């Protein structure tokens, strides 16, 4: 009886998680599906093909991927040294620094976006990809720092000192010791930054000013049109990169874990 309840709850949970995706697939590859019909009357890929071949879709996906990749890289470059200091060092004012870094997570995004919009209009970054990238760094950087600082809190600097004593150069130590030991956390931090940037709508809309169109902006625009098939097709395209990135990340982390277990 216990196993029946457990598996039943698992099935219900999985169904709740998968149901929206199944609904998107049904709407994206069907036509003339009206209430109270339980299933679509006619299945077709015309809507999905039309969305894929739309130049706006390709442009929004390419711009969104480029912005997300740039944001992930810049967030790692900025967050790595900050996370190392916060994770390894105890100093006066450390809690205040934590508070400053995490302010973007508690301040309403609309307030941040409006402030950045006014600033970027004055310095000429509004409506540019550079401005959108800088805006996306604000919500992604706290999560990057938190993830890496947690890894540095468990990091043993003695490995670096031993490599230095054996004659290794600082750069050699950084690439072969530090990065190798922090590889799983770096992958997770990159994943967080990518997902947060990829799903940004409000900051992209306010800073992009209609000049930078990513897939979330295009999706919200389609949602106002009220065509469920188009909305479902764009939604499937929207969730595809995160699912792919998560799958690749999980595989890499699993391989890294197996390598560590084989060494020890």
């Amino acid at each position: 009886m216990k196993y029946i309840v457990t598996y039943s709850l698992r099935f219900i949970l999985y169904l709740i998680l998968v149901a929206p995706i199944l609904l998107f697939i049904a709407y994206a590859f069907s036509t003339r599906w009206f209430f109270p019909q339980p299933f679509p009357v006619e299945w077709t890929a015309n809507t999905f093909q039309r969305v894929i071949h739309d130049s706006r879709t390709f442009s929004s996906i390419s711009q969104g991927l480029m912005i997300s990749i740039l944001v992930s890289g810049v967030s790692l470059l900025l967050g790595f040294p900050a996370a190392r200091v916060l994770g390894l060092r105890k100093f006066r004012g450390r809690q205040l620094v934590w508070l400053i870094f995490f302010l973007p997570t508690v301040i309403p995004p609309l307030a941040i976006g409006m402030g950045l919009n006014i600033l970027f209009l004055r310095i000429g970054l509004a409506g540019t990809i550079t401005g959108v990238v800088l805006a996306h760094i604000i919500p992604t950087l706290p999560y990057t720092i938190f993830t890496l600082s947690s890894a540095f809190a468990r990091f043993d600097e003695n490995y670096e000192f031993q490599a230095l004593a054996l004659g290794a150069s600082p750069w050699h130590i950084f690439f072969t010791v530090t990065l190798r030991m922090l590889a799983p956390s770096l992958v997770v931090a990159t994943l967080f930054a990518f997902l947060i940037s990829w799903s940004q709508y409000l900051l992209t809309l306010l800073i992009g000013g209609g000049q930078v169109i990513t897939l979330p902006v295009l999706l919200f625009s389609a949602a106002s049109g009220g065509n469920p098939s188009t909305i479902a097709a764009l939604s499937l395209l929207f969730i595809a990169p995160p699912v792919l990135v998560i799958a690749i990340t999980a595989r890499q982390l699993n391989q890294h874990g197996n390598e560590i277990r084989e060494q020890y």
Side-chain angles (χ1 to χ4, degrees), residues 40-225:
V41 176
E42 181 180 348
W43 294 91
T44 177
N46 291 337
T47 302
F48 194 79
Q49 291 177 352
R50 175 174 54 81
V51 170
I52 289 179
H53 292 96
D54 192 335
S55 60
R56 296 176 302 171
T57 304
F58 177 79
S59 176
S60 64
I61 292 176
S62 60
Q63 284 194 352
L65 288 175
M66 180 176 62
I67 291 172
S68 299
I69 292 172
L70 287 174
V71 170
S72 300
V74 176
S75 296
L76 283 180
L77 290 176
L78 296 178
F80 190 90
R84 183 181 180 100
V85 173
L86 291 171
L88 293 177
R89 305 290 181 260
K90 304 295 183 181
F91 55 90
R92 182 177 298 179
R94 184 169 177 267
Q95 297 300 323
L96 178 61
V97 175
W98 272 116
L99 176 62
I100 293 175
F101 277 132
F102 275 86
L103 276 178
T105 64
V106 296
I107 296 177
L110 182 59
I112 296 175
M114 293 302 296
L116 288 176
N117 186 32
I118 296 173
L119 175 63
F120 286 178
L121 281 172
R122 293 185 176 182
I123 62 179
L125 288 177
T128 65
I129 291 180
T130 302
V132 174
V133 169
L134 293 176
H136 283 196
I137 290 173
I138 293 178
T140 60
L141 190 58
Y143 293 96
T144 304
I145 293 175
F146 178 77
T147 303
L148 294 179
S149 63
S150 299
F152 273 115
R154 303 185 302 270
F155 183 77
D156 190 354
E157 289 185 285
N158 289 324
Y159 290 105
E160 295 179 335
F161 297 149
Q162 291 173 8
L164 184 63
L166 292 174
S169 65
W171 283 110
H172 186 74
I173 295 173
F174 178 74
F175 285 107
T176 60
V177 178
T178 308
L179 291 187
R180 184 174 177 81
M181 294 180 65
L182 295 174
S185 297
L186 289 170
V187 171
V188 173
T190 305
L191 174 63
F192 275 138
F194 179 87
L195 294 180
I196 294 171
S197 176
W198 173 257
S199 61
Q200 279 295 322
Y201 165 72
L202 186 58
L203 288 177
T204 305
L205 180 65
L206 292 175
I207 306 303
Q211 302 298 318
V212 180
I213 306 297
T214 59
L215 197 54
V217 176
L218 187 63
L219 178 58
F220 273 83
S221 176
S224 62

